[in-house]
PDB file of all heavy atoms in Angstrom:
ATOM      1  N   GLY A 111     -31.352  25.966  -9.704  1.00 94.00           N
ATOM      2  CA  GLY A 111     -32.054  24.714  -9.933  1.00 94.00           C
ATOM      3  C   GLY A 111     -32.497  24.087  -8.619  1.00 94.00           C
ATOM      4  O   GLY A 111     -31.997  24.427  -7.541  1.00 94.00           O
ATOM      5  N   PHE A 112     -33.418  23.166  -8.723  1.00 91.00           N
ATOM      6  CA  PHE A 112     -33.992  22.512  -7.550  1.00 91.00           C
ATOM      7  C   PHE A 112     -34.445  21.126  -7.956  1.00 91.00           C
ATOM      8  O   PHE A 112     -35.107  20.954  -8.983  1.00 91.00           O
ATOM      9  CB  PHE A 112     -35.176  23.351  -7.046  1.00 91.00           C
ATOM     10  CG  PHE A 112     -36.054  22.662  -6.032  1.00 91.00           C
ATOM     11  CD1 PHE A 112     -35.693  22.611  -4.710  1.00 91.00           C
ATOM     12  CD2 PHE A 112     -37.254  22.081  -6.419  1.00 91.00           C
ATOM     13  CE1 PHE A 112     -36.512  21.989  -3.776  1.00 91.00           C
ATOM     14  CE2 PHE A 112     -38.080  21.465  -5.493  1.00 91.00           C
ATOM     15  CZ  PHE A 112     -37.701  21.421  -4.164  1.00 91.00           C
ATOM     16  N   ARG A 113     -34.077  20.104  -7.173  1.00 93.00           N
ATOM     17  CA  ARG A 113     -34.556  18.746  -7.441  1.00 93.00           C
ATOM     18  C   ARG A 113     -34.898  18.071  -6.123  1.00 93.00           C
ATOM     19  O   ARG A 113     -34.032  17.893  -5.261  1.00 93.00           O
ATOM     20  CB  ARG A 113     -33.518  17.907  -8.181  1.00 93.00           C
ATOM     21  CG  ARG A 113     -34.077  16.561  -8.657  1.00 93.00           C
ATOM     22  CD  ARG A 113     -33.028  15.701  -9.325  1.00 93.00           C
ATOM     23  NE  ARG A 113     -32.156  15.041  -8.380  1.00 93.00           N
ATOM     24  CZ  ARG A 113     -32.439  13.875  -7.768  1.00 93.00           C
ATOM     25  NH1 ARG A 113     -33.600  13.273  -7.967  1.00 93.00           N
ATOM     26  NH2 ARG A 113     -31.567  13.334  -6.940  1.00 93.00           N
ATOM     27  N   ALA A 114     -36.152  17.713  -5.976  1.00 91.00           N
ATOM     28  CA  ALA A 114     -36.581  17.000  -4.778  1.00 91.00           C
ATOM     29  C   ALA A 114     -36.193  15.527  -4.904  1.00 91.00           C
ATOM     30  O   ALA A 114     -36.190  14.965  -6.001  1.00 91.00           O
ATOM     31  CB  ALA A 114     -38.087  17.129  -4.596  1.00 91.00           C
ATOM     32  N   PRO A 115     -35.848  14.878  -3.802  1.00 91.00           N
ATOM     33  CA  PRO A 115     -35.559  13.437  -3.880  1.00 91.00           C
ATOM     34  C   PRO A 115     -36.786  12.668  -4.331  1.00 91.00           C
ATOM     35  O   PRO A 115     -37.915  12.988  -3.934  1.00 91.00           O
ATOM     36  CB  PRO A 115     -35.159  13.083  -2.438  1.00 91.00           C
ATOM     37  CG  PRO A 115     -35.716  14.175  -1.593  1.00 91.00           C
ATOM     38  CD  PRO A 115     -35.709  15.407  -2.434  1.00 91.00           C
ATOM     39  N   ASN A 116     -36.572  11.664  -5.181  1.00 90.00           N
ATOM     40  CA  ASN A 116     -37.715  10.890  -5.667  1.00 90.00           C
ATOM     41  C   ASN A 116     -38.092   9.803  -4.666  1.00 90.00           C
ATOM     42  O   ASN A 116     -37.419   9.595  -3.644  1.00 90.00           O
ATOM     43  CB  ASN A 116     -37.443  10.323  -7.064  1.00 90.00           C
ATOM     44  CG  ASN A 116     -36.254   9.382  -7.085  1.00 90.00           C
ATOM     45  OD1 ASN A 116     -36.105   8.528  -6.211  1.00 90.00           O
ATOM     46  ND2 ASN A 116     -35.396   9.516  -8.085  1.00 90.00           N
ATOM     47  N   VAL A 117     -39.179   9.102  -4.966  1.00 89.00           N
ATOM     48  CA  VAL A 117     -39.727   8.133  -4.016  1.00 89.00           C
ATOM     49  C   VAL A 117     -38.726   7.022  -3.714  1.00 89.00           C
ATOM     50  O   VAL A 117     -38.563   6.599  -2.561  1.00 89.00           O
ATOM     51  CB  VAL A 117     -41.046   7.554  -4.565  1.00 89.00           C
ATOM     52  CG1 VAL A 117     -41.554   6.421  -3.671  1.00 89.00           C
ATOM     53  CG2 VAL A 117     -42.099   8.644  -4.677  1.00 89.00           C
ATOM     54  N   LEU A 118     -38.023   6.535  -4.745  1.00 91.00           N
ATOM     55  CA  LEU A 118     -37.069   5.450  -4.532  1.00 91.00           C
ATOM     56  C   LEU A 118     -35.880   5.920  -3.698  1.00 91.00           C
ATOM     57  O   LEU A 118     -35.375   5.182  -2.844  1.00 91.00           O
ATOM     58  CB  LEU A 118     -36.592   4.903  -5.878  1.00 91.00           C
ATOM     59  CG  LEU A 118     -35.808   3.594  -5.830  1.00 91.00           C
ATOM     60  CD1 LEU A 118     -36.662   2.485  -5.236  1.00 91.00           C
ATOM     61  CD2 LEU A 118     -35.330   3.207  -7.215  1.00 91.00           C
ATOM     62  N   GLU A 119     -35.416   7.150  -3.949  1.00 91.00           N
ATOM     63  CA  GLU A 119     -34.307   7.677  -3.153  1.00 91.00           C
ATOM     64  C   GLU A 119     -34.698   7.849  -1.688  1.00 91.00           C
ATOM     65  O   GLU A 119     -33.875   7.692  -0.791  1.00 91.00           O
ATOM     66  CB  GLU A 119     -33.834   9.011  -3.728  1.00 91.00           C
ATOM     67  CG  GLU A 119     -33.134   8.884  -5.062  1.00 91.00           C
ATOM     68  CD  GLU A 119     -32.870  10.219  -5.721  1.00 91.00           C
ATOM     69  OE1 GLU A 119     -33.647  11.174  -5.463  1.00 91.00           O
ATOM     70  OE2 GLU A 119     -31.906  10.329  -6.496  1.00 91.00           O
ATOM     71  N   LEU A 120     -35.963   8.172  -1.440  1.00 91.00           N
ATOM     72  CA  LEU A 120     -36.422   8.351  -0.068  1.00 91.00           C
ATOM     73  C   LEU A 120     -36.715   7.019   0.620  1.00 91.00           C
ATOM     74  O   LEU A 120     -36.320   6.806   1.772  1.00 91.00           O
ATOM     75  CB  LEU A 120     -37.686   9.212  -0.057  1.00 91.00           C
ATOM     76  CG  LEU A 120     -37.528  10.697  -0.373  1.00 91.00           C
ATOM     77  CD1 LEU A 120     -38.885  11.322  -0.630  1.00 91.00           C
ATOM     78  CD2 LEU A 120     -36.823  11.416   0.765  1.00 91.00           C
ATOM     79  N   PHE A 121     -37.404   6.123  -0.084  1.00 91.00           N
ATOM     80  CA  PHE A 121     -37.975   4.956   0.586  1.00 91.00           C
ATOM     81  C   PHE A 121     -37.528   3.622   0.002  1.00 91.00           C
ATOM     82  O   PHE A 121     -38.094   2.584   0.348  1.00 91.00           O
ATOM     83  CB  PHE A 121     -39.508   5.044   0.548  1.00 91.00           C
ATOM     84  CG  PHE A 121     -40.041   6.341   1.076  1.00 91.00           C
ATOM     85  CD1 PHE A 121     -40.676   7.243   0.222  1.00 91.00           C
ATOM     86  CD2 PHE A 121     -39.879   6.699   2.398  1.00 91.00           C
ATOM     87  CE1 PHE A 121     -41.165   8.446   0.692  1.00 91.00           C
ATOM     88  CE2 PHE A 121     -40.349   7.906   2.877  1.00 91.00           C
ATOM     89  CZ  PHE A 121     -41.000   8.781   2.025  1.00 91.00           C
ATOM     90  N   GLY A 122     -36.543   3.639  -0.896  1.00 90.00           N
ATOM     91  CA  GLY A 122     -36.026   2.385  -1.422  1.00 90.00           C
ATOM     92  C   GLY A 122     -35.411   1.556  -0.314  1.00 90.00           C
ATOM     93  O   GLY A 122     -34.663   2.064   0.528  1.00 90.00           O
ATOM     94  N   GLY A 123     -35.716   0.263  -0.270  1.00 88.00           N
ATOM     95  CA  GLY A 123     -35.213  -0.591   0.804  1.00 88.00           C
ATOM     96  C   GLY A 123     -33.718  -0.815   0.723  1.00 88.00           C
ATOM     97  O   GLY A 123     -33.067  -0.553  -0.285  1.00 88.00           O
TER      98      GLY A 123
END
Side-chain angles (χ1 to χ4, degrees):
F112 167 81
R113 189 183 78 84
N116 61 44
V117 173
L118 192 61
E119 290 171 332
L120 288 167
F121 307 113

